[in-house]
Amino acid sequence: MANVISDEMIEYVGILAKLELSEEEKEQAKKDMGRMLDYIDKLNELDTDGVEPMSHVFPVKNVFREDVVENKDDRESILSNAPKKKDGSFFVPKTVE
């Protein structure tokens, strides 16, 4: 294990994560964190020359549709489901005295 995780580091991470760890949990966390850092070291050994960085695993293109502005006067179809209407608008009960 090339990365040595100190008790102070585990204590600090516990404070940041707002965790109260028992001594057994602290020891287990030290082992787990050490294994994670060892795995990262192993990944750093990979030869990535010529590999283009990517932001997604899958090739993602712009999936958004074009924003087309349509100014329609659908007042009648919008008001067709209104429980009450008055003068071409929704009619609601008064809520403020």
Side-chain angles (χ1 to χ4, degrees):
M1 189 168 11
N3 299 296
V4 178
I5 308 299
S6 66
D7 292 332
E8 292 81 21
M9 186 180 293
I10 294 297
E11 191 72 34
Y12 181 67
V13 170
I15 290 169
L16 290 176
K18 299 188 185 304
L19 296 175
E20 292 182 23
L21 300 173
S22 67
E23 289 304 316
E24 297 84 29
E25 290 171 327
K26 287 179 185 178
E27 286 302 314
Q28 185 62 43
K30 275 174 64 171
K31 291 177 188 174
D32 290 343
M33 196 176 289
R35 283 198 304 264
M36 286 186 263
L37 292 175
D38 287 342
Y39 184 71
I40 291 170
D41 284 344
K42 188 171 191 155
L43 288 176
N44 285 334
E45 295 173 7
L46 291 173
D47 180 24
T48 57
D49 291 338
V51 178
E52 188 175 328
M54 57 185 172
S55 61
H56 293 81
V57 178
F58 301 108
V60 177
K61 304 277 189 261
N62 186 358
V63 295
F64 299 111
R65 63 174 170 75
E66 282 295 318
D67 189 13
V68 179
V69 178
E70 295 179 8
N71 292 328
K72 290 191 211 175
D73 188 14
D74 277 347
R75 180 179 297 216
E76 290 307 315
S77 65
I78 292 170
L79 289 174
S80 65
N81 291 323
K84 291 184 179 180
K85 49 191 161 194
K86 180 179 178 183
D87 299 327
S89 299
F90 291 98
F91 183 76
V92 295
K94 186 177 180 179
T95 57
V96 180
E97 294 292 324

